[in-house]
Amino acid sequence: MFIQLVILACLADGATCRDFPLLYDAREVSLLTCMTAAQPEIARWQSGHPQWQPRKWRCEAVDPAQRSL
């Protein structure tokens, strides 16, 4: 099982948006940890992706066997 932080980000034009998932091992990160540590993690992500502006984010549990490729 994994915990996924999903960042919805848009380009400056606002017309192009997409999800950027960041996966964590559920043995190391809980949903509560994801929620409380999301803002600094999003800031780190944004520094590496300056053309994208985060709009929303969410944490969710993910079963790798059920993820679509």
Side-chain angles (χ1 to χ4, degrees):
M1 185 67 72
F2 290 94
I3 300 298
Q4 181 171 257
L5 169 61
V6 181
I7 303 167
L8 172 65
C10 301
L11 291 174
D13 65 8
T16 305
C17 298
R18 63 174 274 215
D19 285 338
F20 292 89
L22 304 176
L23 282 176
Y24 302 95
D25 190 326
R27 292 173 292 191
E28 299 173 10
V29 176
S30 69
L31 280 173
L32 181 59
T33 304
C34 180
M35 296 293 289
T36 58
Q39 288 183 332
E41 190 67 24
I42 293 166
R44 277 191 290 280
W45 176 87
Q46 188 175 16
S47 70
H49 302 84
Q51 69 277 22
W52 293 93
Q53 296 298 312
R55 298 289 184 231
K56 295 181 182 181
W57 59 271
R58 68 184 183 279
C59 292
E60 58 192 19
V62 177
D63 182 351
Q66 296 183 1
R67 279 186 78 195
S68 60
L69 299 176

